[in-house]
Amino acid sequence: MLEIFQHHFVIKAILAGVVVGFLGGFYGNFVVQRKMSFLGDGLAHVTFGGIALGLLLQFEPFLVALPFTLFVAIALTYLKERTTLEIDTTIGIFFAISVALGILFITLNKRYISDAFSYLFGSILLVSDKDLLISYFFGLATILLAIIFWKRWTYATFDYELAMVDRINVRFDDYLLSVLIALSIVISVKLVGIFLVASFLVIPPAAAKLLSKTFAQMTILSIILGIISSILGIIISILWDLPTGSTIILLQSIIFLFAFAVKQLR
Amino acid sequence: MNEIAINVDSLTVFYGKYCVIRDITFSINKNEFVTIVGPNGGGKTTLLKAILGLVEPTNGKVEVFSKPPKELDFHEIGYVPQIKNLDRTFPAKVIELVATGLTGKWKFVITKEIRNLALEALAKTGIENLAERPLTKLSGGELQRVYLARSIIRKPKLLILDEPATGIDSVAEVDFSKILEEQQKMFNTTILMVTHDWEYAFHHSNKVILLNKRLIAFDSPKKAFTEENLKKTFGHIGHEHTMQFIIDKNA
């Protein structure tokens, strides 16, 4: 078994899995606790629309997907603040528009159909050094921002009004969190594909929530579960020649079921 | 001369095209205990929010300790919200929520010093034994006491309570009043409370605000709770309240 670690691509895949597990595990706490679980899925599909536009314009797909996704994340926060629409509703609207645009763009330039669909499932075993570097840089930025903002985001997650009364600039914090979640989704889509991103943002935090008495515990546990499921999923998929993305998601699901069983037994 | 804690001058608040409160003027002195009474939808919570700086006046102004509310340090105001707004799925212990009263943020780790102060505040509200209990496992009355502990831990100059008696039994309510009165005496705290309980307002407050979109009365309980004012505030006086009103009149 140990010989698989001699392959450079395995080490890079594990490094990618660790950072995606960390990002999903961290930001997912706020996504799950703020009842925005659809956000990960929605923004990942918005990224798909941006990628398809990039392919059509024959431009680096992620350089198009990034502003596209950031714009939608900011628009979602703005609409939540200014209208009576629930965020799941607005996500649903942008989700549908983005997928429709994505399919339209791909159809306009059929040469890139296979390229576009490769982004759906990702290619964690084919991660480039540059992508890995960018993702670790963002991971480091997340750690630094967490030191300042975790206590503020958590307070506003618990009670928006109390945080406002205590003079926290909740509007700024909300926009910042949305932008960071969007960035983590774009970076993660590049590493692990659209389908896998949403599960990283939802399943580890949901399992952690079942086992935690405090939000701090939930945050730590969610990150640990995200990272462990990545590493184990990659190793198992290589050893047994299984699709990596599916293996990671199924492993996370088993962890979730285990957490649920433990919760029931307590 | 009495110093002014809250000055509300010609306050009008619109939500979109809907006028919630119109042209309200009053001043509350420091160390007073004032209750706000009025029907549902009468603008009580909006008035509190304007005083807390959460709602911008459409017209008029609000000053707390001679400053716009947003310029106050967060330690100066203690706020006990309606418990029905609590997210019952949030994983947290009682002590963590009480600690936010001091820190104004949700700390990842609670230091020993903050923990001791939080335990002290919980002891004052009689629930020190619940410090490690998850918030999700509390009754309504216990939760109210947690929020009260959270607000008095910062020794605020102004304490604002939005219907704190909801979900509290009458024995606990007496206790609750005692804590508020102690707070008022020890720290010269000004207290502003929304309540549906006329009897409570009559017996415990220095002044009563009767509010139904407009300011109907702002006076001592005896002068505010007149039949005419109550009719203006509530449109009618229900059976139970009529009896209460007669008792009040003879008091």
Side-chain angles (χ1 to χ4, degrees):
Chain A
M1 180 190 142
L2 287 175
E3 59 267 24
I4 64 166
F5 295 107
Q6 289 168 357
H7 298 289
H8 195 49
F9 79 92
V10 176
I11 300 296
K12 280 208 292 188
I14 288 175
L15 285 172
V18 167
V19 74
V20 172
F22 166 73
L23 293 173
F26 178 74
Y27 291 113
N29 290 296
F30 301 104
V31 168
V32 166
Q33 193 58 46
R34 292 183 179 204
K35 300 174 181 67
M36 305 190 303
S37 299
F38 194 32
L39 182 76
D41 220 10
L43 285 181
H45 283 81
V46 169
T47 306
F48 174 70
I51 288 169
L53 181 61
L55 289 171
L56 176 68
L57 300 172
Q58 298 187 22
F59 203 70
E60 165 59 38
F62 277 93
L63 286 181
V64 180
L66 184 65
F68 199 66
T69 313
L70 286 178
F71 167 76
V72 172
I74 290 168
L76 288 172
T77 311
Y78 182 81
L79 288 171
K80 186 184 84 169
E81 194 182 276
R82 297 295 170 102
T83 70
T84 53
L85 291 173
E86 296 292 330
I87 192 155
D88 272 10
T89 310
T90 44
I91 291 168
I93 294 168
F94 281 106
F95 179 107
I97 295 170
S98 304
V99 172
L101 283 174
I103 301 287
L104 180 72
F105 296 148
I106 291 168
T107 319
L108 290 174
N109 193 345
K110 292 196 172 66
R111 274 188 301 162
Y112 295 105
I113 286 183
S114 61
D115 276 0
F117 283 99
S118 73
Y119 288 106
L120 288 178
F121 301 99
S123 46
I124 197 167
L125 301 179
L126 300 170
V127 173
S128 75
D129 289 346
K130 193 181 92 185
D131 293 343
L132 208 52
L133 201 65
I134 292 171
S135 62
Y136 268 82
F137 179 75
F138 184 66
L140 189 66
T142 294
I143 291 171
L144 295 176
L145 286 166
I147 293 169
I148 304 167
F149 286 98
W150 183 90
K151 54 195 169 202
R152 298 164 55 129
W153 287 326
T154 303
Y155 198 15
T157 304
F158 171 71
D159 190 322
Y160 206 75
E161 203 174 85
L162 279 189
M164 281 172 81
V165 172
D166 282 352
R167 308 296 171 233
I168 288 178
N169 190 344
V170 285
R171 283 188 66 204
F172 172 80
D173 287 8
D174 266 10
Y175 279 102
L176 179 68
L177 184 61
S178 295
V179 164
L180 291 169
I181 289 171
L183 275 171
S184 78
I185 286 172
V186 174
I187 287 168
S188 303
V189 164
K190 178 115 202 204
L191 297 176
V192 297
I194 286 159
F195 290 138
L196 199 51
V197 166
S199 79
F200 268 105
L201 274 171
V202 176
I203 306 179
K209 186 174 171 175
L210 290 174
L211 299 174
S212 302
K213 286 192 176 138
T214 68
F215 198 73
Q217 277 176 14
M218 179 177 158
T219 305
I220 297 287
L221 192 57
S222 168
I223 292 170
I224 292 172
L225 293 179
I227 291 174
I228 287 179
S229 62
S230 283
I231 298 174
L232 282 180
I234 291 165
I235 294 172
I236 291 170
S237 72
I238 293 171
L239 286 176
W240 293 351
D241 197 21
L242 298 168
T244 310
S246 302
T247 310
I248 294 173
I249 295 179
L250 292 173
L251 203 58
Q252 288 178 348
S253 308
I254 291 167
I255 291 171
F256 177 79
L257 288 173
F258 177 75
F260 181 72
V262 170
K263 174 86 177 167
Q264 295 303 307
L265 290 173
R266 266 182 190 171
Chain B
M1 195 182 130
N2 284 319
E3 286 182 87
I4 290 172
I6 301 173
N7 183 34
V8 174
D9 185 10
S10 311
L11 176 70
T12 298
V13 177
F14 274 79
Y15 287 147
K17 287 180 182 168
Y18 183 68
C19 182
V20 193
I21 42 183
R22 187 183 290 277
D23 200 21
I24 288 175
T25 300
F26 64 85
S27 298
I28 295 174
N29 293 326
K30 282 184 185 170
N31 202 23
E32 276 187 324
F33 188 157
V34 178
T35 45
I36 305 174
V37 178
N40 289 329
K44 304 186 295 292
T45 298
T46 301
L47 177 59
L48 286 193
K49 286 186 175 177
I51 292 167
L52 287 164
L54 300 180
V55 168
E56 283 295 321
T58 312
N59 272 313
K61 68 171 182 180
V62 176
E63 281 182 337
V64 181
F65 304 119
S66 309
K67 288 183 203 164
K70 280 185 176 173
E71 287 178 20
L72 290 167
D73 185 274
F74 77 87
H75 284 107
E76 293 182 90
I77 300 184
Y79 174 46
V80 178
Q82 290 185 29
I83 54 166
K84 66 183 181 196
N85 298 334
L86 173 76
D87 176 1
R88 284 273 183 178
T89 71
F90 192 89
K93 290 179 183 173
V94 164
I95 192 114
E96 289 184 288
L97 178 55
V98 177
T100 64
L102 266 186
T103 59
K105 292 177 181 73
W106 199 282
K107 289 285 191 178
F108 200 87
V109 178
I110 297 172
T111 61
K112 205 172 171 190
E113 191 192 350
I114 292 174
R115 169 174 289 273
N116 287 340
L117 290 167
L119 287 173
E120 224 172 83
L122 283 168
K124 275 186 195 161
T125 60
I127 47 167
E128 199 182 1
N129 57 322
L130 301 181
E132 297 299 320
R133 178 96 48 102
L135 289 180
T136 49
K137 301 257 166 78
L138 298 180
S139 69
E142 287 167 341
L143 200 52
Q144 289 285 9
R145 283 159 180 266
V146 173
Y147 274 114
L148 186 62
R150 180 195 164 277
S151 61
I152 62 173
I153 195 175
R154 56 175 65 162
K155 300 186 177 75
K157 285 158 75 179
L158 171 64
L159 185 54
I160 292 182
L161 305 99
D162 196 354
E163 291 184 39
T166 314
I168 293 185
D169 58 60
S170 54
V171 179
E173 206 175 298
V174 173
D175 208 15
F176 209 82
S177 311
K178 218 175 115 193
I179 298 165
L180 292 180
E181 277 162 20
E182 271 175 18
Q183 192 70 18
Q184 199 183 3
K185 271 186 202 154
M186 284 173 71
F187 304 107
N188 288 328
T189 310
T190 309
I191 300 176
L192 182 62
M193 179 198 283
V194 167
T195 181
H196 280 298
D197 189 337
W198 301 9
E199 202 177 344
Y200 185 92
F202 186 85
H203 290 292
H204 293 277
S205 47
N206 305 116
K207 282 182 185 153
V208 176
I209 292 172
L210 288 178
L211 186 70
N212 186 0
K213 291 191 169 51
R214 290 173 182 276
L215 185 67
I216 309 295
F218 173 60
D219 220 321
S220 66
K222 276 186 187 171
K223 288 181 183 167
F225 282 126
T226 63
E227 192 166 352
E228 194 191 346
N229 283 341
L230 287 169
K231 269 184 185 165
K232 276 190 200 167
T233 310
F234 292 94
H236 69 283
I237 303 177
H239 179 68
E240 188 191 342
H241 296 144
T242 307
M243 286 178 70
Q244 181 57 51
F245 178 66
I246 291 164
I247 291 165
D248 290 343
K249 241 179 147 181
N250 297 334

